[in-house]
Amino acid sequence: AGAASAALRVVAAAATASPPTQNQRVALLATLLRALDVRRSPPKACDADDVDAVEGAAVDAFVSVSMQLTESAFVPAFAHVVEWAKARASDAPAARARLAALFRLSASLADALRAVFTPLATPLLDLAAAALDPASDPAVPGGGGGSRKKKKRKSEGGGDGDARANEDAGDDDPAVLVAEMDTWRMRTRALGALRRLFAHDKDGGDFLDAARFNQLHPLITRQLSSTPPRGTAEASAVREDGEGEDDVAASASAVVAEGSLGAEVVKCVAAMVAAAPDDALWKPAHRGVLLATRDGKTRARLLALAALGAIVDALEEEYLALLPEAIPFLSELFEDPDERVEAAARKLTARLTELSGEDLKSLMSEGGGR
C-alpha cells in the first residue's frame, strides 16, 4: 500500500511538471482507475487504512492531472470515470465501492476547480440520488430488500431503545455489516460531493433547477434520521439513554464530528437550501428538517436541530420567512426527554430571538405544541 501510494504521488508530480500528451492521458487514466478500484478488490495484505490511503492517493493524483487539462480534455476523462463507476451497477457491493470512490473524487475536484467543475458534474446528480434512495439500503449480502430491511424498519421510531433494537436486529453475518458500512461510506461521500457542488453553483440555478431540487431534498433530509451501522464511531457518538455523558454540549456536537455522515448531511441541507433557484422551494426542504425533530432517535433530533442552525447561518434574515412554521416544533423540543436535545433547542431559539427581535418563548407558550 505504501509503495502504491508513493507511485501515485510520483504520477501526480510528473503531471504537474509537464502536461500529459493524449497517449499519456489514456495510460494515466487506466492506472488511476485501477487504483480507485482498490476498495472493490483490495490486496490481501491491505487493511482498511491502507485501502483508504491508496484511494486517497489516486484521488489526489487525478486532481493534479486534471489541473493541467483543458476543459475539452477534462470533460471526456471525467465522463469515463462516471461510466466506470456505473459499469458495475448490477453488482451491489462493487457499485457501492466505485460510487464511493467517484463521490470522493468529485468532492476533491469541486474543492480544486470550484465553480468550473459544477456545471460539468450534472451526471453525478442522478447517481447521488440513487445512492441516497432507500432502495439502495442493504438488506442481505449483495443487495437491497429482504429480512434485514424489515428488522431495521421495526426499530425506527423506537426512541431510547433504538440503538439496542438495531443491535439485536443485526446478526453476526460479516457480509451484512460490510454492506452497511459500504453504504454508509457511499452516502457520506455523496452528501460531501453534493454540498460542495451546491456551494459552488454560481449560475443562478442552472445546475440545481427546481426539478432536481424536488428530487433531492427528500432524499437528503431523510439522512438526518438514518441509523449508523454497528461498530462505527457515529453509532456510539450519542447514547440513546443519555447516560454516561457528563458534558451535554460535547455529546450534542459528537453527531456532527468532522467527516461524519451527520456533519455532511447538516452542511448539505444548508448548502442545498441556499442554492435553491427559487425561495419558494425552501419550505418543503425546511419542512423535511422539522419533521426529523420528531424522530424517535435522539441522534436524529440533534442532527435536525444542527441542520436548522446551518440553514439559519446560510439564509440569515431571510430565514425569518420560515420561522413561523418552526416555532411549534421548537416548542415541543423544550420538553424533550433528552436534555441534550432540549439544550440544543433552547440555544437555537435564543439565536432566533436575537435574529428576529421577538420574544419567541412567549410565542411558544401562546401557540406552541402540536
Side-chain angles (χ1 to χ4, degrees):
S5 297
L8 289 165
R9 286 192 290 271
V10 170
V11 168
T16 302
S18 176
T21 64
Q22 171 64 26
N23 289 338
Q24 290 172 332
R25 286 200 300 270
V26 172
L28 276 173
L29 185 56
T31 298
L32 293 176
L33 288 180
R34 283 196 297 273
L36 286 171
D37 215 14
V38 65
R39 196 175 300 278
R40 184 178 69 87
S41 53
K44 292 182 180 179
C46 287
D47 61 18
D49 290 340
D50 291 334
V51 168
D52 200 64
V54 171
E55 185 183 75
V59 166
D60 291 344
F62 193 101
V63 172
S64 295
V65 172
S66 298
M67 297 294 285
Q68 305 303 314
L69 301 180
T70 63
E71 182 174 327
S72 61
F74 172 78
V75 169
F78 183 69
H80 187 72
V81 180
V82 172
E83 291 304 313
W84 165 84
K86 293 161 59 176
R88 294 277 182 166
S90 60
D91 180 353
R96 286 190 286 264
R98 286 192 171 186
L99 285 173
L102 173 65
F103 295 140
R104 182 177 185 178
L105 171 63
S106 299
S108 291
L109 286 169
D111 284 339
L113 301 175
R114 302 176 71 83
V116 173
F117 178 63
T118 299
L120 307 178
T122 302
L124 293 177
L125 293 177
D126 283 334
L127 293 175
L132 298 174
D133 194 285
S136 68
D137 287 351
V140 294
S147 61
R148 177 67 170 166
K149 185 180 290 186
K150 292 178 181 177
K151 289 177 181 176
K152 291 180 81 173
R153 286 177 176 169
K154 185 176 181 180
S155 72
E156 287 176 1
D160 292 346
D162 178 76
R164 291 185 295 273
N166 188 52
E167 186 173 340
D168 293 340
D171 55 36
D172 294 327
D173 187 337
V176 172
L177 184 56
V178 167
E180 291 181 339
M181 297 283 281
D182 286 350
T183 301
W184 194 257
R185 180 186 302 107
M186 174 184 70
R187 288 177 174 166
T188 300
R189 293 182 178 179
L191 292 166
L194 285 175
R195 60 107 167 165
R196 288 169 170 84
L197 294 171
F198 296 154
H200 299 316
D201 184 13
K202 306 299 184 183
D203 296 326
D206 290 344
F207 176 73
L208 184 65
D209 59 20
R212 290 292 192 185
F213 188 95
N214 288 326
Q215 175 195 22
L216 289 169
H217 82 75
L219 299 172
I220 292 172
T221 56
R222 172 184 178 269
Q223 303 308 312
L224 294 167
S225 300
S226 58
T227 301
R230 293 175 299 123
T232 61
E234 288 184 79
S236 58
V238 175
R239 287 277 299 277
E240 291 295 326
D241 55 17
E243 296 178 356
E245 181 58 75
D246 296 327
D247 188 337
V248 172
S251 176
S253 64
V255 299
V256 289
E258 189 65 28
S260 66
L261 185 145
E264 293 296 355
V265 69
V266 165
K267 295 175 185 177
C268 191
V269 166
M272 174 183 63
V273 171
D278 185 342
D279 57 15
L281 296 171
W282 293 348
K283 189 171 182 179
H286 183 245
R287 178 73 177 178
V289 178
L290 291 176
L291 290 175
T293 67
R294 291 177 174 169
D295 192 279
K297 298 183 288 294
T298 299
R299 177 181 185 276
R301 301 196 299 280
L302 287 171
L303 282 178
L305 285 166
L308 288 173
I311 293 172
V312 174
D313 282 343
L315 299 185
E316 298 182 327
E317 287 80 5
E318 291 182 286
Y319 180 80
L320 297 179
L322 301 172
L323 179 57
E325 187 180 21
I327 288 176
F329 289 87
L330 291 172
S331 178
E332 292 172 10
L333 295 176
F334 273 32
E335 300 177 2
D336 196 275
D338 192 297
E339 66 175 333
R340 298 163 294 186
V341 176
E342 179 187 347
R346 290 186 181 277
K347 182 178 180 180
L348 178 58
T349 301
R351 186 168 160 211
L352 291 171
T353 295
E354 183 178 355
L355 183 66
S356 66
E358 298 185 35
D359 185 354
L360 297 185
K361 290 184 179 179
S362 296
L363 290 175
M364 290 176 181
S365 63
E366 293 171 5
R370 299 186 186 185

